[in-house]
Amino acid sequence: MRKFILFLGSLLCLGYVQGQNWTVQGVVTDSITGEALPYVSILVKGTTTGSATDDAGRFSFAVPSASATLEISYMGYRTKELKLSPRRLRNLNVQLAQSEITLTDVVIKPGKEKYRKKDNPAVRFVKQMIASREANDPRNHDYFQYDQYEKIIIALNDYKPKEKKAKPGKFDFVEEYIDTLDMGTTILPVSEKERVETVYYRREPHSERRIVRGSKSSGVDDVLSRDGVQQFLNEVFREVNIFQNNIPLFLQRFVSPLSDIGPNFYKYYLLDTLQVEGQKCVDLGFVPFVSESFGFTGHLYVTLDSTFFVQKTVLNVPKDINLNFVSHMQIEQTFRRTPDGTRIITKDDIGVNFKINEKSKGMYARRLNIYSNQSFAVPGAEALAAFDDPSPTIIQKEAYRRKEEFWAANRPQEAEKRNPKSVAELMSRLRAIPVFAITEKVIGTMVSGYIPTNKEIDKNKFELGPMNSTISGNAIEGARFRVGGATTPMLHKRLFFDGYAAFGTRDRKMKYDAAVEYSFLNRKQYPKEFPRHSIRFEYMYDLNKLGQHYMYTSKDNVLLSIRRQKDTRATYLRNAELSYIREHYNGISYGAVIRNLREYATPWAEFNRFSLDGTALPVGHYDMTELELNFRYGHNEKFYQTRTSRIPITFDAWVVNLSHTMALKDVLGSSYNYQRTEFGMQKRFWFSAFGYLDAIIKAGKVWTAVPYPLLILPNANLSYTIQPEAYTNMNALEFINDEYASWDLTYYMNGLILNRIPLIKKLKWREVICFRGLWGHLTEKNDPASRAEGLYEFPEGTYRLGKTPYMEASVGIENIFKFMRLDYVWRLNYLDNPGIQRRGVRCTMRINF
């Protein structure tokens, strides 16, 4: 019995000791780049107990004591000791500092040592790489072709199922679709896109064609424009090319580690030598001098030979970067060298964690590109014929109808999911639940502005809207109520109808618009989707606000109802026009408009016409029948297409507009001879780490003598919002000209100054400077002071511009709360004109990265 008790006591003591083991877990990262470190050795000090990190830098193992000390060691890094405690066991983030590494005969000290560019071998090494970066470009060959597989996943990040209750919930089935990343994080995919294409490149004459062989998408973004979403994602997740100066990503421009200005923007470190894909490489680390700027941290693994061939890249963003919503990002690229030394990219993989704030789990997004079957041979006859197609992207007829067998054969192993269940199946089950279906429709309406009349997209033939114009107001109409709608391609692929009816409670007039459009090309989702080739007839009667040109929104948008002064400078306009437009893939578009209009005077905009004897007599209206010719060039424009407009994604390409309007007196009822020409150019100029400048330049002239409504009426912004191409502190009809030149320059500094101010830089505000102006002139033939026959008296409060152009400026801060911009604007001259606003505050909301 004594022996049994001793044995039982020993088991209990052993169980007690075993029960006191503690589990420690965390991740090991590079203290400079934040990059996870794989296969790091972790030992309990003074014992042989330990473990190593996995591929994602994570570790988890049992320690005998909660007060143990860990020794973390890794080649090229300083060994670190970490004292544990019961409260310090989970979610550890161990940061290792790079050690002093001897490479050849030079010792480099990254850490917090003083960094020097002069006589730094890492800087010399990078300058040699920059000098030779274009030597092995695959596009130096006459022809280049390859297959590309792309997969984009958007998911709820770190998704944990809720505890199950006794009563099953409507959404419990969602747990069946949870997937797990390589690093162990669980996600719930809510959008998934796959695309397989073959790319053909020709150097002379330079052209590139993409043949889309398969494409499919499903997810919560189905309510949006499929092509528009793809266009947007293509710009947000652009393929990273480190061999150019600037890298487009997240609609911003990052400085490449191999940029010409790289040595002045980055700190470089030669860290270690190692084997990468069987090649002996040097690990070149880099980090920006200013961590808030648009740059990367990371590593380039470069072969130790005279070619400076980049075998692999790993890019991250600094923790403090002034980049919205991105809490973590890693880009990994791998390259292969052909026998002739050409550089071939084989993988471009980007993973991003998006967060609105630090407390939210946010979203996870991954864009994976796998490249294969590269060739420099002359392509076959069928492929060569693709270069004759005007479209840069050619979609095969069956591309959107590929079966799963096609995807199984073309999907790389790296793109396979652990959970085989699809997002399409998840969305189908979610949409069967009424509360989800209604919520999705409401969000879709808010984004598109239109309410579908059928819950099934394929059966939705008519939509009501736009909803943001249903109720608005102005000084003449009072409260304005409007109802309208338009047909969709589900009714007819080429024939479309749209219109509206509106009524003002103060003027008690009914306004209306009706249009029919025939497209010579089948439309997929919207009648105005690119490229347009159509003819349209429209008949309209509505209020015409003089000197207010709504270029980026509708005139009865409810957000513009609050104004800094009464907008009574208006007439009524009846307009019938027949228009033709043709757009080409090369960026050229042209069109013609035949317009018959009658403009009616109002008490706020009278038509007092001079007669032969110089007396001014009131007239009720004038008539015009005009022919307008338009030309536009906008090569490589990127925009998000909506039903009624195109929202620009980038302004990188030159956009050129030219128009001429003409009319002959007494021909088809015209009251005057009319000749008017206008020209405009627009472009965004990127300054690498120093932000970008949006420039808009315009000029125009009216060649004939006509009444003031047909002259050049500068665009006055009477609202409190920021409107491009509009004068913030100018009154409507304050200046009238028959020839003009204008400029609108906006410099977005991306935090160039604020990123360097302690405490302020934590707000991640960005500076904006604006300067716009108008040089205008009124020739004698159109000056009512001459009292020439046919001219109209100018309305009261209208003035002439002198030799000095009208100018105004603003300074502002954007990215306030990540979406707001506030500008302080002031008028620089013509300050004696009565009734003007010399200065003020304007705002707008824009979500950007």
Side-chain angles (χ1 to χ4, degrees):
M1 178 64 68
R2 188 182 297 110
K3 291 181 178 179
F4 176 76
I5 292 173
L6 289 173
F7 177 70
L8 182 61
S10 299
L11 287 178
L12 289 174
C13 289
L14 180 62
Y16 176 78
V17 171
Q18 292 294 328
Q20 293 306 298
N21 277 354
W22 303 79
T23 299
V24 60
Q25 60 179 226
V27 63
V28 181
T29 60
D30 184 307
S31 64
I32 294 180
T33 68
E35 176 189 4
L37 300 178
Y39 314 121
V40 177
S41 174
I42 305 175
L43 289 176
V44 178
K45 188 175 182 180
T47 73
T48 58
T49 302
S51 181
T53 60
D54 60 14
D55 290 341
R58 297 187 177 274
F59 64 88
S60 177
F61 64 98
V63 295
S65 170
S67 59
T69 299
L70 301 183
E71 285 186 344
I72 302 102
S73 59
Y74 192 53
M75 179 181 292
Y77 290 80
R78 295 189 184 100
T79 298
K80 184 171 186 175
E81 292 190 359
L82 182 66
K83 181 71 174 178
L84 301 177
S85 68
R87 295 184 178 181
R88 195 182 185 191
L89 291 173
R90 302 296 180 92
N91 300 320
L92 299 176
N93 185 1
V94 183
Q95 296 183 333
L96 294 187
Q98 299 156 346
S99 62
E100 297 181 1
I101 299 171
T102 302
L103 191 67
T104 65
D105 58 346
V106 180
V107 177
I108 300 172
K109 303 177 180 180
K112 296 185 179 180
E113 299 290 335
K114 184 177 180 181
Y115 179 85
R116 296 179 58 187
K117 291 188 293 182
K118 187 177 181 181
D119 299 326
N120 187 334
V123 174
R124 289 200 303 268
F125 187 81
V126 166
K127 288 182 176 179
Q128 290 174 306
M129 292 183 64
I130 294 172
S132 61
R133 65 186 180 183
E134 297 180 2
N136 49 10
D137 191 332
R139 283 170 171 75
N140 291 336
H141 291 260
D142 291 335
Y143 291 94
F144 178 39
Q145 70 179 65
Y146 58 90
D147 292 333
Q148 178 176 341
Y149 168 87
E150 179 186 69
K151 184 171 188 177
I152 299 176
I153 292 178
I154 300 175
L156 299 179
N157 196 29
D158 197 17
Y159 187 85
K160 298 291 191 298
K162 294 183 179 180
E163 294 184 5
K164 291 186 177 181
K165 300 179 180 179
K167 184 179 179 180
K170 294 180 179 180
F171 297 96
D172 286 351
F173 64 87
V174 168
E175 299 176 14
E176 303 173 18
Y177 299 88
I178 294 175
D179 202 2
T180 305
L181 302 176
D182 292 338
M183 64 185 69
T185 304
T186 54
I187 61 172
L188 178 66
V190 295
S191 177
E192 186 176 65
K193 305 180 189 301
E194 287 186 284
R195 192 178 180 98
V196 174
E197 57 189 13
T198 300
V199 181
Y200 296 98
Y201 166 82
R202 180 179 63 190
R203 188 170 64 170
E204 292 294 340
H206 181 272
S207 59
E208 184 172 291
R209 294 293 181 268
R210 292 178 175 268
I211 313 297
V212 179
R213 297 188 285 118
S215 179
K216 69 173 183 176
S217 64
S218 56
V220 294
D221 53 356
D222 285 347
V223 296
L224 306 176
S225 165
R226 179 180 62 191
D227 294 339
V229 169
Q230 184 66 44
Q231 186 90 281
F232 178 77
L233 292 176
N234 287 345
E235 289 301 309
V236 172
F237 296 120
R238 287 274 289 271
E239 178 184 299
V240 172
N241 183 0
I242 63 169
F243 303 97
Q244 60 186 17
N245 288 325
N246 296 314
I247 297 175
L249 196 64
F250 302 120
L251 306 182
Q252 298 286 353
R253 290 296 182 274
F254 288 71
V255 179
S256 168
L258 297 181
S259 168
D260 291 335
I261 69 168
N264 296 317
F265 185 86
Y266 286 102
K267 300 177 184 178
Y268 296 98
Y269 307 101
L270 294 173
L271 299 177
D272 202 354
T273 58
L274 66 166
Q275 295 284 329
V276 179
E277 299 293 332
Q279 293 285 330
K280 190 174 183 181
C281 296
V282 61
D283 180 359
L284 175 69
F286 50 89
V287 59
F289 281 100
V290 180
S291 60
E292 290 82 7
S293 58
F294 285 98
F296 298 102
T297 63
H299 300 262
L300 299 181
Y301 300 94
V302 187
T303 57
L304 282 173
D305 54 30
S306 60
T307 64
F308 299 100
F309 186 85
V310 178
Q311 196 80 11
K312 180 180 178 180
T313 67
V314 177
L315 305 176
N316 304 280
V317 291
K319 181 181 178 182
D320 299 326
I321 188 172
N322 191 345
L323 185 67
N324 292 332
F325 313 118
V326 177
S327 61
H328 174 75
M329 182 201 73
Q330 179 166 309
I331 301 173
E332 181 180 336
Q333 292 182 322
T334 57
F335 300 89
R336 176 173 59 86
R337 181 161 43 182
T338 63
D340 66 354
T342 301
R343 176 185 65 249
I344 297 292
I345 186 172
T346 57
K347 181 177 73 171
D348 180 33
D349 190 4
I350 175 172
V352 186
N353 290 340
F354 295 103
K355 284 187 178 182
I356 296 178
N357 55 60
E358 289 299 323
K359 295 183 179 180
S360 67
K361 293 183 178 179
M363 305 290 292
Y364 168 80
R366 184 190 185 193
R367 194 266 290 125
L368 173 67
N369 279 337
I370 300 294
Y371 308 90
S372 59
N373 301 325
Q374 293 90 348
S375 173
F376 302 114
V378 178
E382 184 177 352
L384 287 174
F387 291 114
D388 297 327
D389 195 297
S391 174
T393 301
I394 303 168
I395 301 175
Q396 293 184 348
K397 291 182 179 180
E398 63 276 15
Y400 292 114
R401 298 190 297 270
R402 295 291 190 182
K403 296 183 178 180
E404 187 54 37
E405 293 80 6
F406 171 86
W407 296 106
N410 288 275
R411 183 182 295 123
Q413 184 176 0
E414 196 167 355
E416 296 285 351
K417 298 193 302 180
R418 287 181 170 85
N419 188 340
K421 293 196 172 184
S422 68
V423 174
E425 181 184 340
L426 170 63
M427 297 309 300
S428 178
R429 295 180 68 177
L430 285 172
R431 286 167 181 151
I433 301 174
V435 65
F436 180 88
I438 293 173
T439 302
E440 186 180 43
K441 295 299 182 185
V442 170
I443 294 175
T445 299
M446 293 174 62
V447 174
S448 68
Y450 285 80
I451 300 177
T453 55
N454 193 300
K455 63 181 181 179
E456 297 184 29
I457 296 177
D458 293 341
K459 296 181 180 179
N460 179 40
K461 299 179 180 180
F462 184 81
E463 295 179 330
L464 296 170
M467 303 311 296
N468 63 3
S469 297
T470 302
I471 302 176
S472 60
N474 58 72
I476 294 178
E477 292 181 282
R480 175 184 168 106
F481 298 91
R482 168 175 156 168
V483 59
T487 63
T488 76
M490 299 305 109
L491 178 66
H492 198 283
K493 294 292 185 182
R494 297 193 174 191
L495 188 62
F496 303 94
F497 300 89
D498 64 87
Y500 66 82
F503 182 79
T505 58
R506 183 173 297 171
D507 68 350
R508 307 190 67 81
K509 286 180 178 289
M510 181 65 71
K511 297 91 179 175
Y512 50 84
D513 182 283
V516 56
E517 181 171 351
Y518 179 80
S519 172
F520 297 99
L521 304 172
N522 288 340
R523 307 285 80 182
K524 293 177 288 185
Q525 192 170 0
Y526 301 119
K528 293 180 173 61
E529 61 195 26
F530 182 85
R532 289 181 68 187
H533 184 200
S534 64
I535 188 168
R536 176 183 174 90
F537 177 75
E538 183 174 10
Y539 188 85
M540 178 270 291
Y541 174 77
D542 207 337
L543 194 69
N544 180 36
K545 297 179 181 180
L546 301 174
Q548 296 183 68
H549 314 301
Y550 299 91
M551 309 179 71
Y552 297 94
T553 185
S554 61
K555 61 185 177 183
D556 46 6
N557 188 323
V558 66
L559 297 178
L560 301 181
S561 296
I562 302 177
R563 292 176 170 85
R564 57 183 173 88
Q565 63 176 217
K566 289 185 177 181
D567 53 341
T568 54
R569 301 285 199 179
T571 61
Y572 289 98
L573 180 67
R574 178 197 55 77
N575 183 42
E577 63 182 39
L578 179 67
S579 59
Y580 169 81
I581 186 170
R582 178 70 186 271
E583 296 178 332
H584 297 272
Y585 288 104
N586 59 8
I588 292 177
S589 63
Y590 45 84
V593 181
I594 299 175
R595 181 184 301 115
N596 177 269
L597 63 88
R598 170 171 288 184
E599 189 161 14
Y600 297 90
T602 65
W604 309 279
E606 296 178 334
F607 295 167
N608 294 315
R609 186 176 186 273
F610 290 111
S611 58
L612 277 173
D613 60 3
T615 58
L617 301 175
V619 295
H621 67 269
Y622 71 90
D623 299 305
M624 294 294 290
T625 299
E626 306 170 347
L627 172 63
E628 180 180 331
L629 303 176
N630 298 296
F631 173 84
R632 190 174 191 274
Y633 178 73
H635 186 55
N636 285 334
E637 279 188 285
K638 302 294 189 302
F639 49 79
Y640 178 83
Q641 177 74 60
T642 69
R643 165 173 284 282
T644 58
S645 63
R646 293 171 178 174
I647 302 173
I649 298 175
T650 65
F651 295 95
D652 295 348
W654 276 108
V655 176
V656 179
N657 288 282
L658 177 64
S659 68
H660 184 75
T661 305
M662 64 190 81
L664 296 177
K665 185 178 181 180
D666 298 330
V667 174
L668 299 177
S670 290
S671 302
Y672 296 91
N673 288 316
Y674 189 43
Q675 300 287 334
R676 174 172 175 158
T677 306
E678 290 195 89
F679 174 79
M681 298 178 68
Q682 179 176 355
K683 188 176 178 4
R684 174 168 292 174
F685 298 90
W686 288 93
F687 304 133
S688 194
F690 309 105
Y692 58 92
L693 173 75
D694 282 347
I696 304 173
I697 301 172
K698 290 187 173 181
K701 182 176 178 64
V702 175
W703 306 88
T704 52
V706 289
Y708 74 84
L710 294 174
L711 296 178
I712 294 166
L713 312 179
N715 189 13
N717 177 15
L718 302 186
S719 74
Y720 288 100
T721 64
I722 299 170
Q723 297 287 336
E725 301 184 58
Y727 298 98
T728 306
N729 287 14
M730 182 187 290
N731 294 340
L733 297 189
E734 183 178 352
F735 300 104
I736 298 178
N737 314 290
D738 60 5
E739 53 189 17
Y740 81 101
S742 67
W743 68 89
D744 189 329
L745 307 176
T746 306
Y747 180 28
Y748 298 87
M749 299 175 67
N750 278 350
L752 182 64
I753 299 173
L754 298 179
N755 283 346
R756 290 164 170 78
I757 303 176
L759 299 181
I760 294 292
K761 66 182 183 181
K762 294 183 179 296
L763 298 173
K764 297 188 175 182
W765 290 351
R766 303 170 187 169
E767 317 87 340
V768 184
I769 299 175
C770 225
F771 178 51
R772 59 178 66 92
L774 170 75
W775 175 87
H777 181 244
L778 184 68
T779 59
E780 185 178 354
K781 66 177 178 294
N782 280 308
D783 192 338
S786 67
R787 308 182 78 83
E789 182 188 8
L791 297 184
Y792 292 175
E793 281 185 338
F794 280 2
E796 185 178 353
T798 298
Y799 308 94
R800 277 80 168 160
L801 280 171
K803 295 181 179 180
T804 304
Y806 170 87
M807 295 177 290
E808 59 185 32
S810 68
V811 294
I813 297 176
E814 67 169 351
N815 210 39
I816 302 172
F817 307 120
K818 299 184 179 181
F819 69 90
M820 182 177 288
R821 171 181 163 187
L822 286 177
D823 279 13
Y824 180 78
V825 298
W826 68 94
R827 179 166 166 158
L828 300 179
N829 54 0
Y830 296 95
L831 303 179
D832 296 330
N833 290 351
I836 64 168
Q837 186 179 61
R838 296 190 176 190
R839 58 187 63 86
V841 177
R842 305 290 183 265
C843 69
T844 190
M845 291 182 290
R846 183 181 71 161
I847 297 177
N848 55 11
F849 289 102

